[in-house]
Amino acid sequence: MTKCSPFRQCIAPGSRNFISTMASGSNSLMWFRKGLRLHDNPALEYAAKGSKFLYPVFVIDPHYMELDPTAFSPGSSKAGLSRIQFLLECLVDLDLSLSKLGSRLLVLKGDPGEVLTRCWKEWSIGKLCFEYDTEPYYQALDVKVKNHASVAGVEIFSPVSHTLYNPADIINKNGGSPPLTYQSFLKLAGQPSWASTPLSTTISSLPPIGNTGNFAVSGVPTVKELGYEDLNEDERTPFKGGESEALKRLRESIANKEWVANFEKPKGDPSAFMKPATTVLSPYLKFGCLSSRYFYQCIQDIQKSVKKHTSPPVSLLGQLLWRDFFYTVSFGTPNFDQMKGNRICKQIPWKNDDELLAAWRDSRTGFPWIDAIMAQLRKCGWMHHLARHSVACFLTRGDLFVHWEKGRDVFDRLLIDSDWAINNGNWLWLSCSSFFYQYHRIYSPTSFGKKYDPAGNYIRHFLPVLKDMPKEYIYEPWTAPLSVQRKARCIIGLDYPNPVVSHDSASKECRMRLGEAYELNKKLNGRVSEEDLNKLRRKNDNESAIVDSISRKKKQKLIC
C-alpha cells in the first residue's frame, strides 16, 4: 500500500450503495449530515461525477437544533451548546474547503424530508447523495426520503463510509443477529474489503452551484442566529471543530510512531488535562470530520514500519474496531438505547432519584474525584475514557444505583463526541446491564484517581473551592480536621458538600441489589416484567430501611 497522506488523490474504493436507477436531471445534491469532510467522501465524489451543477446542502433540523429553555444546560432538546458550537465550527470549515473548489455550503432550515423534496423539484436534481447512517432517527428519515425520491425519479447514492464495515454485512455473516462480544465481532469482520486500496483523500474540483431559485439559502449561522446565548470564553470547549483541525490533530498524533505502536488502553492518565493522554479524535470521528477508514490506514502504515506494536483490543487500531463493534450491535438490536424491550439488556430495578442524579450531574456528590470529572465534562465537553468509567460506575452500580439511561442522557447532552451507538453501548457496559457482568468490580471514588494524581492537581483545577486543601485530604476532604478546613478556606458541608453516600455501605448495597436482579433475570430467562421489577425494588428498599435503622441505633448507643 502507498504511504498514508492527507493530500493524495486516489480513486475511492467501492462500498455497498443504495441506488434507484431513474434520474430526472443532470444536477446533483450532496446532503451533508455527518461526513463533514472532503477526504474519503465517496458520496461527494459520486455527486460531482458527470453533474452540470452540484448543490452541497446542510439542513438545520429542528429535531436536533430547536432551542430548549427547560433543559438543565444551554442548548437544544438534544444537544448542549458546546456540541452545537462544535458542529457549527465543522460547517464553517467545510464551507471554506468547498469555497476553495469554487463551491460553498448551502444551509437550509426545516424538516429535512420536506426541504429535500423542494430542492429536487426546484433545482432539477437527478442524483441525491448522502452518507449512510445507522441511527434509528436517520434510518426512519431515509426511508421517507428514498420513497419520495423514487416517485420523483431521483437517483439515490448512499454509501457506507462512516464506519470501517457495513454493520448489515457483519450481521448477515452472523446469521441475522449482531455478535455480542468483541472477539466474535473481530472473527466475523476480518480485514475491511477496502483496506488494501489507497483512499481518495483530495478532491481537485467540483461542479459549480446552479441557481438556487426561491430558497432561503444562508451561510453557516452563529449560535446567536440560532436563538442561543453565546458561550462565555471560560465555558467554551478547548477543542475546535472541523476537518482541518481533525487532520492537524491526526498528523500530530501519528507523528510519534512509538506512541502509536505502544498505545495500550485502558492505560493512560485520566487526570491529564493540560495535555490529554489520548488523541482526542473522537469528536472528529463522531461528526465525520475525520474518516475512520483513513485513520485506520494511517495506523496500519505505522504498524508496518515498526518492529513491534500492541494489538486489539488494547491498540489504537483496536479502539476503532470497538467503535464498529458498538455500531454493529446497536444497528442490529431494537431498543438498544433503553432497558425496556432491549433483549440484550438485563432488567434491573434502578432508582429514579432526581436529587442524586442532579448532585452527580452538577458536581455536588461530595467526592472530589467524581465532581471534578463532571466539572470537566461541563466545561470541556470531553474527558478521558477512564474518567467516564469512574463517573458512570459511581452513578449506577457503584454507589448511587441510579438508572443508566439518566446518566446516558447527561453524557449525550454535554459530550461534544457523544455518539448514539457508542454512548449507549458504554452505559450498558459500565452499568453491567450488558456486555460486562462483573458487577462486584467497582471503581473507588477516592483511591482510583489518587494513583494517577496523588497531589490532586486535577481536582484543584476543576474544583477551585478545594485548591488549598492539603493533599492528604484532597480526595476525602470530609476527613480533614476543622482547623485544616478553615486554613484551606473550605468548610465541608458549607463551602463544599458532604458525601451524598458512604461509599463502603453504598457499594455493598449496590452489589446486593445487582446480585438479586441477576438472579431474577436468570430465573425468568430475561422475561422480567415491570411488576417483577417493582416487587424487587420494594424488597430492596425495605431491606435498606432495616439496615439503616440498625445502623442508626448502633450510632446512638456509641454516643450514649
Side-chain angles (χ1 to χ4, degrees):
M1 190 195 304
T2 54
K3 290 292 182 184
C4 181
S5 164
F7 306 109
R8 178 176 293 103
Q9 185 173 2
C10 318
I11 298 172
S15 54
R16 175 181 253 186
N17 309 315
F18 300 82
I19 303 175
S20 61
T21 54
M22 295 182 292
S24 59
S26 60
N27 303 331
S28 296
L29 192 154
M30 174 62 200
W31 178 23
F32 285 99
R33 291 121 56 112
K34 296 170 188 170
L36 303 178
R37 64 180 186 272
L38 299 191
H39 76 279
D40 184 31
N41 195 329
L44 178 61
E45 289 192 2
Y46 190 80
K49 200 177 298 180
S51 296
K52 183 179 180 182
F53 297 116
L54 170 64
Y55 297 83
V57 166
F58 183 87
V59 182
I60 300 289
D61 186 349
H63 176 78
Y64 282 113
M65 303 289 269
E66 192 168 355
L67 177 68
D68 183 4
T70 67
F72 68 81
S73 73
S76 71
S77 59
K78 300 291 182 183
L81 200 48
S82 285
R83 189 156 83 252
I84 291 171
Q85 178 66 54
F86 189 90
L87 167 61
L88 295 179
E89 289 169 357
C90 295
L91 297 177
V92 167
D93 186 73
L94 178 62
D95 184 42
L96 286 171
S97 297
L98 289 169
S99 67
K100 291 174 184 176
L101 299 174
S103 185
R104 71 184 179 98
L105 188 64
L106 308 174
V107 179
L108 306 172
K109 295 181 181 179
D111 175 83
E114 295 173 6
V115 169
L116 293 172
T117 301
R118 277 192 61 204
C119 285
W120 61 59
K121 285 180 180 177
E122 295 202 20
W123 297 343
S124 297
I125 297 299
K127 286 190 295 189
L128 173 64
C129 304
F130 54 91
E131 187 176 64
Y132 187 72
D133 197 310
T134 58
E135 286 189 29
Y137 173 75
Y138 282 109
Q139 285 283 297
L141 175 61
D142 291 355
V143 168
K144 293 178 184 177
V145 169
K146 289 172 184 176
N147 287 340
H148 290 157
S150 178
V151 171
V154 175
E155 177 187 351
I156 296 287
F157 183 80
S158 183
V160 175
S161 56
H162 188 65
T163 50
L164 304 176
Y165 304 89
N166 186 332
D169 289 345
I170 305 292
I171 290 168
N172 287 338
K173 281 185 183 179
N174 200 43
S177 62
L180 298 181
T181 69
Y182 182 75
Q183 291 302 328
S184 60
F185 168 80
L186 290 185
K187 287 179 183 177
L188 287 163
Q191 181 85 338
S193 58
W194 50 265
S196 59
T197 308
L199 295 170
S200 174
T201 52
T202 59
I203 293 178
S204 58
S205 65
L206 289 173
I209 294 170
N211 190 334
T212 56
N214 298 319
F215 267 98
V217 176
S218 72
V220 179
T222 64
V223 289
K224 278 194 170 184
E225 288 169 343
L226 287 175
Y228 305 110
E229 289 294 322
D230 207 352
L231 286 166
N232 297 324
E233 197 61 39
D234 63 346
E235 295 174 324
R236 288 178 180 269
T237 174
F239 308 111
K240 184 182 178 183
E243 179 184 19
S244 300
E245 183 69 17
L247 292 174
K248 177 188 170 188
R249 294 191 75 90
L250 175 65
R251 286 193 294 269
E252 290 171 352
S253 296
I254 65 177
N256 187 342
K257 291 186 178 183
E258 186 180 353
W259 181 84
V260 174
N262 295 326
F263 183 91
E264 190 173 355
K265 190 179 179 181
K267 292 180 181 178
D269 185 354
S271 68
F273 60 91
M274 294 301 289
K275 186 180 179 183
T278 65
T279 63
V280 195
L281 287 171
S282 54
Y284 305 95
L285 291 167
K286 180 264 188 305
F287 284 106
C289 305
L290 174 64
S291 158
S292 63
R293 308 193 307 177
Y294 176 57
F295 190 13
Y296 182 98
Q297 285 195 340
C298 288
I299 299 169
Q300 274 203 324
D301 285 349
I302 289 172
Q303 289 183 346
K304 289 175 182 177
S305 69
V306 297
K307 290 181 179 179
K308 186 180 178 183
H309 59 80
T310 53
S311 301
V314 298
S315 65
L316 199 55
L317 201 62
Q319 303 317 297
L320 280 176
L321 293 166
W322 273 112
R323 179 178 181 266
D324 263 64
F325 168 65
F326 279 134
Y327 265 87
T328 301
V329 180
S330 67
F331 182 65
T333 305
N335 303 312
F336 184 72
D337 59 344
Q338 62 190 51
M339 180 178 79
K340 192 174 181 181
N342 182 349
R343 64 181 179 81
I344 70 168
C345 180
K346 288 198 181 297
Q347 304 299 296
I348 297 168
W350 300 107
K351 295 178 184 176
N352 287 305
D353 191 318
D354 289 339
E355 288 186 16
L356 287 178
L357 175 69
W360 173 82
R361 182 191 70 205
D362 300 336
S363 300
R364 293 186 286 103
T365 69
F367 290 91
W369 173 244
I370 300 299
D371 292 342
I373 294 170
M374 296 305 291
Q376 183 187 20
L377 169 60
R378 188 179 284 269
K379 180 177 175 59
C380 301
W382 183 90
M383 66 282 209
H384 189 273
H385 59 268
L386 289 177
R388 302 181 194 211
H389 293 187
S390 293
V391 293
C393 178
F394 182 87
L395 180 70
T396 56
R397 63 185 172 87
D399 290 81
L400 304 187
F401 211 71
V402 171
H403 204 311
W404 63 266
E405 290 177 21
K406 302 283 188 178
R408 182 272 320 278
D409 289 344
V410 173
F411 271 28
D412 188 41
R413 180 169 194 80
L414 297 180
L415 281 170
I416 57 172
D417 64 1
S418 179
D419 184 301
W420 186 85
I422 300 166
N423 191 31
N424 281 293
N426 278 324
W427 277 95
L428 283 162
W429 187 297
L430 291 165
S431 66
C432 282
S433 294
S434 192
F435 305 116
F436 178 74
Y437 302 107
Q438 297 178 39
Y439 60 82
H440 56 281
R441 294 175 60 182
I442 289 171
Y443 290 86
S444 167
T446 54
S447 63
F448 183 71
K450 197 182 295 184
K451 68 182 180 181
Y452 297 98
D453 180 26
N457 293 325
Y458 176 82
I459 291 169
R460 297 177 204 282
H461 180 81
F462 287 106
L463 298 177
V465 68
L466 291 169
K467 65 183 175 63
D468 296 321
M469 189 65 67
K471 68 177 184 179
E472 298 90 336
Y473 304 107
I474 190 72
Y475 284 89
E476 299 173 272
W478 63 90
T479 65
L482 188 57
S483 59
V484 173
Q485 295 180 33
R486 286 190 180 121
K487 189 175 180 181
R489 298 187 297 278
C490 180
I491 306 301
I492 305 306
L494 183 64
D495 302 305
Y496 181 73
N498 277 299
V500 290
V501 292
S502 163
H503 171 63
D504 288 343
S505 58
S507 60
K508 184 178 179 181
E509 182 181 330
C510 284
R511 284 193 289 264
M512 178 272 293
R513 287 177 179 251
L514 271 171
E516 293 194 2
Y518 271 40
E519 284 299 318
L520 180 64
N521 278 262
K522 184 178 179 181
K523 178 183 174 182
L524 300 178
N525 198 25
R527 295 183 178 87
V528 181
S529 68
E530 191 65 37
E531 185 181 351
D532 294 324
L533 286 179
N534 285 331
K535 283 181 183 177
L536 184 54
R537 188 177 287 113
R538 286 192 293 270
K539 177 178 178 291
N540 290 159
D541 289 345
N542 289 336
E543 288 171 351
S544 296
I546 292 169
V547 170
D548 288 344
S549 176
I550 293 170
S551 178
R552 281 195 300 271
K553 287 177 181 177
K554 284 182 179 179
K555 285 181 181 178
Q556 287 171 353
K557 283 182 180 180
L558 288 172
I559 293 170
C560 294

